[in-house]
Amino acid sequence: MDNLFRRTGIDVPEPVRRFLQGESDPWLRVEEYQDGNTMVVRTDIPGIDPDKDIDITVTDNTLLIVARRREPAHKDQPGYRSEVRYGEYSRSIPRPRGANPDTVEARYIDGVLEIRAQLPEQSATSGTKIHVSRGGHQSPEAPENYAT
């Protein structure tokens, strides 16, 4: 498909080109793990300016990352070919209920965005075991006060 576009000289916008080539997976692939009582989310976003090109929003139970990679000025030069993805991409990551949005911190180092969020204290809750009865009909020796 790329060769067809190049041979005909058609300038196809990046999102359209990716769609036509079957690239539908999210650009912002993340790595998530827990470090003690901290949730850590990391994603590779090289070649951007974090002050201008990254927006992080925290709601009660969602962490939303929006990143933009702008097309370079030299894209109109003869012979230009690129396999780099440009445009705006977003990713929503569920956060545990009760997590304080004021504890979220983000760093961008060497093309890697790392977001850390404190997890809420986990209280030791004891569960109650529930008995599961068998069958759909009642046996003759069932107690009389048991409703059928």
Side-chain angles (χ1 to χ4, degrees), residues 9-118:
I10 298 172
D11 185 25
V12 178
E14 179 68 15
V16 174
R17 182 193 63 79
R18 281 196 331 273
F19 173 76
L20 292 173
Q21 291 179 330
E23 295 179 31
S24 60
D25 61 329
W27 178 61
L28 285 179
R29 294 183 178 198
V30 297
E31 163 179 272
E32 241 180 284
Y33 61 93
Q34 190 170 331
D35 181 15
N37 64 345
T38 303
M39 178 178 109
V40 181
V41 177
R42 295 169 48 98
T43 185
D44 295 338
I45 315 175
I48 64 164
D49 179 348
D51 294 329
K52 297 177 186 173
D53 300 327
I54 296 176
D55 292 317
I56 301 170
T57 308
V58 180
T59 61
D60 205 20
N61 56 358
T62 304
L63 175 69
L64 176 65
I65 305 167
V66 178
R68 289 167 292 286
R69 180 177 283 156
R70 303 169 200 285
E71 291 191 68
H74 59 265
K75 76 175 187 135
D76 296 327
Q77 296 297 317
Y80 176 76
R81 186 178 89 72
S82 176
E83 294 180 0
V84 176
R85 294 181 180 187
Y86 297 100
E88 181 172 295
Y89 303 91
S90 64
R91 186 69 185 265
S92 291
I93 295 148
R95 282 181 0 111
R97 288 201 179 277
N100 184 351
D102 295 334
T103 65
V104 177
E105 297 175 351
R107 292 185 295 191
Y108 181 80
I109 301 171
D110 296 332
V112 178
L113 175 65
E114 180 178 284
I115 302 167
R116 292 179 161 265
Q118 294 297 317

